[in-house]
Amino acid sequence: VKSYTYDQLQQRYAMYCLHHATGPYSWADASGWKRKGVPECQWYGVTCEPNTNMVQRINLRDNGLQGTIPPEVALIPELVVFNVNANTNLTGTVPDHMCNIQSERGLDIKVDCDYVSCECCSNCAQARKGD
């Protein structure tokens, strides 16, 4: 951690918050998450930009997450895909900060709209049109 940049520390903090807030003991696969000495790029469901080791994608679809999405996820500076769809025990609302990032840099947010409300998620907007 000593050699981390500010952005990498912020990213790691946000990832820890995500793990803690979404019921870490209920996850189907938490390989690498919060393990000492394991960089985020080696955590289950995480894809990084290879040259910078910055997280670009989090795909925890159907992984047993529960609880709520913490606002700290918006602190991941290079995140472009956040997929937590099909986690039926995940509830609440997508944090406003994430919607701000969605509009600023095109963050693709995927949630199960029956359980998590999201004003900025295109898949939720499509679901609302079908009502």
Side-chain angles (χ1 to χ4, degrees), residues 4-22:
Y4 274 43
T5 66
Y6 175 79
D7 284 346
Q8 289 169 327
L9 283 173
Q10 183 172 276
Q11 167 179 284
R12 193 166 182 94
Y13 168 73
M15 304 278 287
Y16 269 62
C17 290
L18 173 62
H19 189 248
H20 178 74
T22 56

Side-chain angles (χ1 to χ4, degrees), residues 83-95:
N83 184 354
V84 292
N85 202 5
N87 286 287
T88 58
N89 289 319
L90 198 59
T91 59
T93 303
V94 170

Side-chain angles (χ1 to χ4, degrees), residues 53-82:
N53 292 323
M54 295 302 292
V55 172
Q56 291 186 319
R57 297 172 179 269
I58 297 175
N59 183 0
L60 297 172
R61 186 182 194 289
D62 195 19
N63 198 44
L65 279 64
Q66 59 185 16
T68 60
I69 300 167
E72 289 85 358
V73 172
L75 296 174
I76 302 171
E78 295 185 23
L79 188 65
V80 292
V81 174
F82 182 72

